[in-house]
Amino acid sequence: MLTPERHKLILQLIKEKGVVKIQDLVDMTETSESTIRRDLTQLEEGKYLKRVHGGAARLQGKLQEPSMSEKSSKNLQQKRQIAQYAANLVEEGDSIYLDAGSTVTEMIPFLPAKEIVVVTNGLMHIQALLERNIKTFLIGGFAKEQTKAIIGRGALASLEKYRFDKCFMGVNGIHPQFGYTTPDQDEAMIKQMAISLSREAFVLADDTKFSEIAFAKIAELHTAAIITNELNEDQKESYSSKTTIKVVTA
Amino acid sequence: MLTPERHKLILQLIKEKGVVKIQDLVDMTETSESTIRRDLTQLEEGKYLKRVHGGAARLQGKLQEPSMSEKSSKNLQQKRQIAQYAANLVEEGDSIYLDAGSTVTEMIPFLPAKEIVVVTNGLMHIQALLERNIKTFLIGGFAKEQTKAIIGRGALASLEKYRFDKCFMGVNGIHPQFGYTTPDQDEAMIKQMAISLSREAFVLADDTKFSEIAFAKIAELHTAAIITNELNEDQKESYSSKTTIKVVTA
DNA sequence: CAAAAATCAATCATTTTCGTTCAAAGTAAA
DNA sequence: TTTACTTTGAACGAAAATGATTGATTTTTG
């Protein structure tokens, strides 16, 4: 039995039961007492456990997970709900595009890890995607500081080689021509192209402030779902009058 | 059994089981222990796995700090000296390429901010570059987790549209054909192309362990400078016999 | 409290694994 | 074909891991 296997087993046991006896570990790993002792010494040095007479115990002075500052933010919870719903739309084997933007980032922890391919222009997403071992392609181009997005002519050229099953866009920034307010022309063009390369397009809306016009305009062009928490009457109406667009309340 | 097949098999097994014994790999591939050892060495250099006594293990993203903190202080100072020297070679108005790698990252704080354009495949560099408001282009392609680099076929295509005044490469990983030991074929190809697109090439060497062969081989192909702290006699000799290469001791 | 039992750290011989070298076999280019 | 390069497997000394032993230390028991 290889060292890392033993270590993993020991830590797992300790995590479950709190304490383990050396003799039990000897039996389970089919090694000698000496070996187990050495393992425990190493793991103790690495602050993974605490040795006690006859075995080892979990150490309790452990670091907790804080960051309550923003966790309680209602807005973030809402975002996360929407993101989770959107992530569930992704099926194994899908090739998807993730637009730059904080709401979309929230999707990543909920994505099915296996067999999906992600293409993105969002630099903020990279870390989370790689941590989850998701096959990730970044489009090339100019790195825009404010939004941490890849944009520009090169980005368009880089993007147009891909095709997607689904694409997920943040709520701020569909092309003006489509109905959304868009701060940046360059980013809008990227979004426009991503949508046109995708079989289905989804918009993640973390609030209900976007106008009904937005629905109408985008509905003329794509099969898309707008995922949000609440809908007012006007919006529902707008939805019902357009057949190519689904509005989902997560 | 062909090398890429073996590598694929090894990685697959490690991904599934977490750890593999060398003897098991020998049996499965019906090759010799030596061959498997070589495979593991290569794959470890490419940051695809971690070797352990008796086999190899999957490497986890986070938990690998203790080694860094030990050697970093002196090593980092050396790195920084070299990086600063290299950064001073960049003139205002230059278009430069920064290879992925930690030594190259250290250059960024020393770069002249105004009027330069940076192209890179290093995800680690982005943050620092944007913080300094440097005009930055990222090449597109597959994002490799371990080295935080953009690689692959798409990356080559994305890269070849650029031209550089100078390019700066980390010491680990010029194409084997050039003489450097290269962990990853894909990364090597990127490096090779970047060099060929640049008027001048610089190699940042944070130690003197690379062989004299490296000097000779690269000298045959490019005008380049190798920037390092110390040189042994062999290396100096190698340098003097080649005219197209400058060796700078920072 | 004292003796017995259990656990411990330290040491050493043995086994396993490692890295390197070298020559043979296989490949690609000249 | 010859020549240069790469891949491979075997060999061997070095290094690491292992298991048994010993005597000290701690815990338990009477």
Side-chain angles (χ1 to χ4, degrees):
Chain A
M1 198 175 200
L2 258 34
T3 309
E5 291 184 84
R6 287 196 315 269
H7 285 197
K8 194 175 161 190
L9 176 64
I10 293 172
L11 291 178
Q12 185 186 328
L13 271 185
I14 277 196
K15 188 170 189 178
E16 287 173 9
K17 310 184 62 172
V19 288
V20 278
K21 287 203 269 274
I22 284 191
Q23 194 50 53
D24 292 345
L25 294 174
V26 170
D27 295 341
M28 296 189 63
T29 59
E30 291 173 340
T31 57
S32 71
E33 196 183 300
S34 298
T35 299
I36 296 297
R37 285 187 192 290
R38 274 184 280 254
D39 285 342
L40 294 185
T41 304
Q42 286 180 275
L43 290 171
E44 183 176 42
E45 281 170 357
K47 309 276 192 216
Y48 290 109
L49 51 77
K50 180 173 172 359
R51 295 192 66 179
V52 296
H53 216 84
R58 173 174 40 194
L59 36 80
Q60 54 237 41
K62 263 294 187 180
L63 323 149
Q64 310 260 356
E65 307 242 342
S67 82
M68 58 240 155
S69 54
E70 54 178 343
K71 204 159 205 169
S72 56
S73 155
K74 178 174 180 182
N75 196 313
L76 181 62
Q77 280 211 347
Q78 206 184 48
K79 266 189 189 179
R80 207 161 272 168
Q81 270 190 336
I82 296 164
Q84 184 165 9
Y85 185 94
N88 286 335
L89 298 172
V90 179
E91 298 164 60
E92 299 210 348
D94 271 354
S95 172
I96 66 174
Y97 177 84
L98 297 185
D99 182 39
S102 60
T103 309
V104 178
T105 303
E106 298 293 333
M107 284 179 65
I108 297 173
F110 302 112
L111 288 173
K114 306 284 182 200
E115 302 298 325
I116 72 168
V117 175
V118 171
V119 180
T120 184
N121 76 325
L123 298 171
M124 285 181 7
H125 304 157
I126 294 290
Q127 163 109 2
L129 287 164
L130 293 185
E131 270 178 14
R132 293 214 52 209
N133 279 308
I134 291 172
K135 202 168 284 183
T136 302
F137 290 82
L138 197 63
I139 69 174
F142 181 72
K144 184 180 175 188
E145 186 195 359
Q146 286 78 17
T147 56
K148 263 73 178 172
I150 300 292
I151 59 170
R153 196 164 14 190
L156 286 171
S158 183
L159 179 56
E160 73 180 350
K161 291 173 194 140
Y162 296 98
R163 296 293 182 279
F164 315 111
D165 295 307
K166 307 179 173 81
C167 73
F168 296 87
M169 319 300 281
V171 72
N172 297 320
I174 302 298
H175 193 283
Q177 168 187 340
F178 292 9
Y180 288 90
T181 55
T182 302
D184 186 329
Q185 173 79 354
D186 289 318
E187 283 191 61
M189 290 172 71
I190 297 284
K191 289 169 203 285
Q192 175 178 7
M193 175 166 292
I195 289 176
S196 74
L197 293 169
S198 185
R199 292 201 299 110
E200 296 175 273
F202 300 90
V203 175
L204 275 59
D206 63 344
D207 65 75
T208 58
K209 285 177 185 161
F210 48 92
S211 73
E212 48 182 301
I213 294 178
F215 286 82
K217 290 278 178 70
I218 197 175
E220 290 163 9
L221 286 162
H222 294 285
T223 298
I226 293 175
I227 304 164
T228 185
N229 279 47
E230 301 166 31
L231 288 177
N232 62 40
E233 286 308 312
D234 286 349
Q235 287 165 344
K236 280 181 184 162
E237 212 169 293
S238 172
Y239 154 56
S240 63
S241 69
K242 301 289 175 181
T243 56
T244 54
I245 188 169
K246 290 180 290 187
V247 176
V248 180
T249 302
Chain B
M1 197 175 203
L2 259 36
T3 308
E5 290 183 78
R6 288 197 314 271
H7 285 198
K8 197 174 161 189
L9 175 64
I10 292 172
L11 291 178
Q12 184 186 329
L13 270 186
I14 278 197
K15 190 164 192 176
E16 287 173 10
K17 306 186 57 175
V19 286
V20 279
K21 288 203 261 278
I22 284 191
Q23 194 50 53
D24 292 345
L25 294 174
V26 171
D27 295 341
M28 295 189 64
T29 59
E30 290 174 341
T31 57
S32 72
E33 196 184 300
S34 297
T35 298
I36 296 297
R37 284 186 194 291
R38 273 184 283 253
D39 287 342
L40 294 184
T41 303
Q42 284 179 279
L43 291 171
E44 182 177 44
E45 282 171 355
K47 303 272 173 68
Y48 288 108
L49 50 79
K50 177 172 170 5
R51 295 192 66 180
V52 296
H53 233 82
R58 175 174 34 191
L59 35 79
Q60 59 251 82
K62 286 271 175 173
L63 226 66
Q64 279 197 352
E65 295 307 316
S67 59
M68 290 285 286
S69 53
E70 295 169 19
K71 69 174 185 180
S72 63
S73 59
K74 174 163 186 180
N75 197 321
L76 182 63
Q77 275 206 346
Q78 208 185 48
K79 266 189 188 177
R80 209 161 270 169
Q81 272 189 334
I82 296 164
Q84 184 164 10
Y85 186 95
N88 287 335
L89 298 173
V90 179
E91 299 164 60
E92 298 211 346
D94 271 353
S95 172
I96 67 173
Y97 177 83
L98 296 186
D99 181 40
S102 60
T103 309
V104 177
T105 303
E106 297 292 332
M107 286 178 63
I108 298 173
F110 303 112
L111 288 173
K114 305 289 180 196
E115 301 299 326
I116 72 167
V117 174
V118 172
V119 180
T120 184
N121 75 326
L123 298 171
M124 286 180 8
H125 304 155
I126 294 290
Q127 165 108 0
L129 287 164
L130 294 184
E131 271 176 14
R132 293 213 54 209
N133 280 309
I134 291 172
K135 201 169 287 184
T136 302
F137 290 82
L138 196 63
I139 69 174
F142 181 72
K144 182 179 174 189
E145 182 192 2
Q146 279 70 27
T147 56
K148 262 74 177 171
I150 300 292
I151 60 172
R153 200 168 6 196
L156 286 171
S158 182
L159 179 56
E160 74 180 350
K161 291 173 192 141
Y162 296 98
R163 294 294 181 279
F164 315 110
D165 296 306
K166 307 180 173 82
C167 73
F168 296 88
M169 320 299 282
V171 72
N172 297 320
I174 304 297
H175 193 281
Q177 167 187 345
F178 292 9
Y180 287 91
T181 56
T182 301
D184 188 327
Q185 175 79 353
D186 289 319
E187 285 190 57
M189 289 172 71
I190 297 285
K191 288 167 201 286
Q192 177 178 8
M193 174 164 292
I195 289 175
S196 74
L197 293 169
S198 185
R199 293 201 299 110
E200 295 176 274
F202 300 91
V203 174
L204 275 57
D206 63 345
D207 66 74
T208 58
K209 286 177 186 159
F210 48 91
S211 73
E212 48 182 303
I213 294 177
F215 285 80
K217 292 279 180 63
I218 197 174
E220 290 163 8
L221 286 163
H222 294 286
T223 299
I226 293 174
I227 305 165
T228 185
N229 280 49
E230 301 166 33
L231 289 177
N232 62 40
E233 287 308 310
D234 286 347
Q235 288 166 345
K236 279 180 185 163
E237 212 169 293
S238 171
Y239 154 56
S240 62
S241 69
K242 301 291 178 181
T243 57
T244 55
I245 187 169
K246 291 181 289 187
V247 176
V248 181
T249 302

